[in-house]
Amino acid sequence: MIQIGVNIDHVATVREARRGGEPDPLRAAHDAILGGAHCITVHLREDRRHINDDDVTRLRDLVERTAGVKLNLEMAATSELIGIARNVRPHMCTLVPERRMEITTEGGLDVVALRNELADGVAQLKDLGMIVSAFIDPDPEQVAGASKLGCDACELHTGPYAHAFSAAGGDFLHKPVQRELERVRSAGQAIVERRMRFHAGHALNYHNVQPVAALSDLAELHIGHAIVSRAIFTGLREAVAEMIALMREAAAPNT
Ligand code: PXP
């Protein structure tokens, strides 16, 4: 059954707007889980602009007490972050590129060009028993590169698909939308053929999620901004439950 990882970074972004104690990402995680989240995702950025080290530790404690829910730590493969993962032991680490000035993660990690820099980090995380996922562009060479590195999963970047969807005014049959979706579908099949888990995410929302959720063999979607935005009006529990309902309605029967 298709699963959802809910990214709660933006809850911490609101907290940091006043450098105060609320809203607490821990409470958000709790509500997301009550809404049906299978995984809580946070990105511990180098500049700690939203989620901080203490949040990650407290979230780890929460998921430990919540059977069947994973903690997914999005991180750059730096020695600092690998050291934090070693201490905190999230269930999954998703390796992402990180540029200081970016608003959000832009583009996938180039696991082909960075093969030598990444190899040791991936091996260390795997030795610690974590699921290692790479956030990559939907490109067969990147899939092959992630497989060579020994990644357990690839999260395909759905940003270009979402952008095409929006540019077409939500017309799913528009050629550029179909082209971007096909890139995700075929890279997804390459992931499965290489015996990795097929994940996808970035810029997915309540309008564009279903064509992606319908792809065969998709195991997980990772969604943040749209869910936290809707939660302002509906509450997080409801926002997560609505997204799961859309995903399940669309999902391939045996996914
Ligand atoms: N997956 C990855 C690797 C990300 O970096 C992000 C953004 O933090 C997401 C998924 C979620 O993207 P969005 O907030 O656009 O749903």
Side-chain angles (χ1 to χ4, degrees):
M1 188 177 57
I2 186 169
Q3 300 203 330
I4 186 165
V6 177
N7 182 314
I8 56 168
D9 290 349
H10 294 298
V11 175
T13 301
V14 175
R15 176 189 63 191
E16 292 308 310
R18 289 292 163 94
R19 310 222 174 278
E22 65 174 9
D24 186 352
L26 198 76
R27 177 147 184 217
H30 188 244
D31 255 36
I33 292 167
L34 290 176
H38 308 94
C39 172
I40 299 297
T41 296
V42 287
H43 184 177
L44 189 61
R45 296 187 78 100
E46 189 192 7
D47 61 8
R48 306 299 195 268
R49 68 170 78 149
H50 38 53
I51 291 292
N52 62 39
D53 302 53
D54 186 44
D55 293 328
V56 179
T57 307
R58 292 188 308 129
L59 287 165
R60 175 62 182 155
D61 290 344
L62 174 74
V63 295
E64 206 139 84
R65 289 182 273 113
T66 318
V69 177
K70 287 195 300 246
L71 178 65
N72 173 32
L73 183 65
E74 282 181 15
M75 51 181 265
T78 60
S79 53
E80 186 209 4
L81 266 301
I82 289 169
I84 290 171
R86 182 187 300 281
N87 290 333
V88 177
R89 305 279 172 130
H91 300 94
M92 179 158 81
C93 292
T94 299
L95 302 178
V96 297
E98 191 171 305
R99 282 184 284 275
R100 250 171 195 258
M101 299 312 286
E102 68 192 358
I103 292 173
T104 181
T105 312
E106 291 164 2
L109 183 66
D110 189 342
V111 292
V112 176
L114 298 172
R115 186 176 56 233
N116 296 336
E117 288 89 326
L118 292 169
D120 189 45
V122 172
Q124 284 188 51
L125 295 170
K126 281 177 65 92
D127 281 352
L128 292 165
M130 293 164 204
I131 300 166
V132 179
S133 176
F135 179 62
I136 56 171
D137 291 330
D139 167 348
E141 278 185 28
Q142 293 294 326
V143 174
S147 170
K148 276 189 201 133
L149 277 173
C151 292
D152 304 292
C154 294
E155 180 179 332
L156 296 181
H157 189 349
T158 49
Y161 156 76
H163 181 71
F165 188 95
S166 160
D171 179 356
F172 169 64
L173 296 177
H174 198 55
K175 278 219 173 70
V177 183
Q178 290 287 319
R179 195 166 50 233
E180 291 301 339
L181 187 65
E182 174 54 24
R183 287 181 67 211
V184 177
R185 189 203 63 76
S186 62
Q189 286 313 296
I191 291 168
V192 175
E193 277 158 23
R194 290 178 182 269
R195 301 191 179 284
M196 295 182 287
R197 295 152 64 131
F198 171 21
H199 300 173
H202 214 283
L204 294 176
N205 60 37
Y206 295 85
H207 304 288
N208 65 22
V209 72
Q210 288 200 310
V212 179
L215 297 176
S216 301
D217 300 312
L218 178 69
E220 286 176 27
L221 287 179
H222 290 267
I223 307 179
H225 187 262
I227 291 178
V228 174
S229 301
R230 180 161 295 205
I232 291 171
F233 304 106
T234 66
L236 197 50
R237 211 178 298 186
E238 175 78 22
V240 172
E242 275 182 59
M243 184 60 86
I244 291 174
L246 284 173
M247 286 163 52
R248 293 225 171 115
E249 185 182 78
N254 49 6
T255 299

